[in-house]
Amino acid sequence: MGGVSLGLGALYVAFGAVLISFSGSAVVGLVITVALAWGQWYFSDTLALKSMGAKVVSAEQAPELHAMIDRLCVMADMPKPTVAVAVTDMPNAFATGRTPRHSAVCVTTGIMQRLDADELEGVLAHELSHVANRDVSVMTVASSLGLLAGFITRWGLYLGGGGNNRDNRNGNGVPFIVVFLVSMVVYFVSFLLTRALSRYRELSADRSGAYLTGRPSKLASALVKISGDMSRIPNEDLRGAQALSAFFFAPAINRASVNAVMATHPPLEQRLAQLAKVGAELSDPI
């Protein structure tokens, strides 16, 4: 994670140098992208729940679910998040929110039907670990450079069309096409680095969740069940959830293999191997 963060930092410095040498549309793009990133971070819990059609449930409506989360929050010494349920057969769960005090944990009806109580508790411990580790904030900051580069890649030529002269150069003589091409490269590299960071965050949440419950075997069992059932979910339902795939407990895909560099989650085998090591430490073999 440290190496990926250093790589992102180097990209920020390099890309910043190019933007400083250019004016006009690059500044507009920066302001717009920062505003979008802030809005994504500040309203992350509301936006995520709405995109899944999830409904906030009270302790009276879902007593067992609330009891699990209450117990885990006490064990983790953290504020209780908003609890929501999404009515869909896709077995999954996710957590979102800008801070532990402004967060939400959502489970689908599909995951509650497929997992037993101990397995579901393991999944909830994983999601609460994302909240405690402020993963939404981490990923928002990490992805903001990619958002800016993507903005310039998509709209840069149009916005820079007027230029400062016929050669489309700024006051320092830098052709806008240079900024555009650099933006494309930065967007691609940032995309790969944020995917790598996302995979590390998932491994971290697996580990933290396993230690929180003391039963990594149950989390491993939930992973196997969900990963196996995901292949039977209709493509239409999976496509509708793609925007939140990076936040899910298991990726919303039904292909047997995905290019490792593009994946938002580590391979199932790697997650199970890590949980097996934790299980050996806690005398809870997998």
Side-chain angles (χ1 to χ4, degrees):
M1 286 179 61
V4 172
S5 299
L6 285 174
L8 284 167
L11 273 182
Y12 270 96
V13 173
F15 195 49
V18 175
L19 287 180
I20 288 172
S21 69
F22 193 83
S23 61
S25 60
V27 176
V28 173
L30 177 62
V31 171
I32 292 176
T33 305
V34 168
L36 289 174
W38 180 85
Q40 175 185 330
W41 169 77
Y42 191 84
F43 299 106
S44 57
D45 52 345
T46 303
L47 292 173
L49 293 180
K50 285 186 176 180
S51 68
M52 279 294 292
K55 302 295 183 184
V56 175
V57 293
S58 65
E60 290 73 24
Q61 293 171 309
E64 294 181 3
L65 182 60
H66 271 268
M68 285 184 189
I69 293 176
D70 284 337
R71 182 167 61 253
L72 290 170
C73 287
V74 169
M75 294 168 62
D77 190 23
M78 62 181 290
K80 182 180 178 181
T82 299
V83 182
V85 173
V87 181
T88 172
D89 189 47
M90 182 177 63
N92 233 313
F94 68 89
T96 183
R98 62 187 186 274
T99 67
R101 292 192 177 278
H102 300 87
S103 61
V105 171
C106 176
V107 297
T108 67
T109 51
I111 199 173
M112 291 192 290
Q113 292 166 357
R114 288 171 172 84
L115 302 185
D116 63 32
D118 291 335
E119 292 168 339
L120 183 58
E121 185 177 63
V123 171
L124 291 172
H126 168 103
E127 298 304 334
L128 288 173
S129 296
H130 279 307
V131 173
N133 294 335
R134 299 174 183 264
D135 283 346
V136 171
S137 294
V138 170
M139 293 306 298
T140 299
V141 171
S143 63
S144 59
L145 177 62
L147 287 172
L148 174 57
F151 178 89
I152 295 177
T153 300
R154 291 183 179 87
W155 299 102
L157 288 179
Y158 171 76
L159 293 174
N164 293 330
N165 57 40
R166 286 181 298 178
D167 294 326
N168 232 7
R169 295 171 180 267
N170 69 340
N172 296 324
V174 179
F176 186 82
I177 191 65
V178 173
V179 178
F180 179 77
L181 292 176
V182 169
S183 297
M184 290 183 66
V185 174
V186 169
Y187 177 75
F188 178 71
V189 177
S190 177
F191 178 86
L192 296 182
L193 287 176
T194 51
R195 290 298 188 275
L197 186 60
S198 176
R199 293 193 293 273
Y200 288 128
R201 301 309 297 170
E202 289 301 323
L203 287 172
S204 176
D206 280 346
R207 186 175 179 83
S208 299
Y211 276 116
L212 181 59
T213 63
R215 289 178 293 183
S217 62
K218 295 300 181 181
L219 181 55
S221 176
L223 269 171
V224 172
K225 281 186 180 180
I226 293 173
S227 298
D229 283 357
M230 199 65 71
S231 62
R232 291 188 282 272
I233 301 300
N235 284 331
E236 183 179 349
D237 293 343
L238 294 177
R239 282 195 298 268
Q242 282 301 306
L244 281 176
S245 185
F247 291 92
F248 283 147
F249 174 65
I253 55 174
N254 62 3
R255 297 185 296 276
S257 63
V258 177
N259 191 324
V261 235
M262 308 293 282
T264 57
H265 291 63
L268 176 62
E269 296 74 15
Q270 185 179 5
R271 298 177 76 175
L272 294 178
Q274 177 183 247
L275 290 173
K277 290 181 181 179
V278 177
E281 296 175 11
L282 298 177
S283 300
D284 181 42
I286 296 174

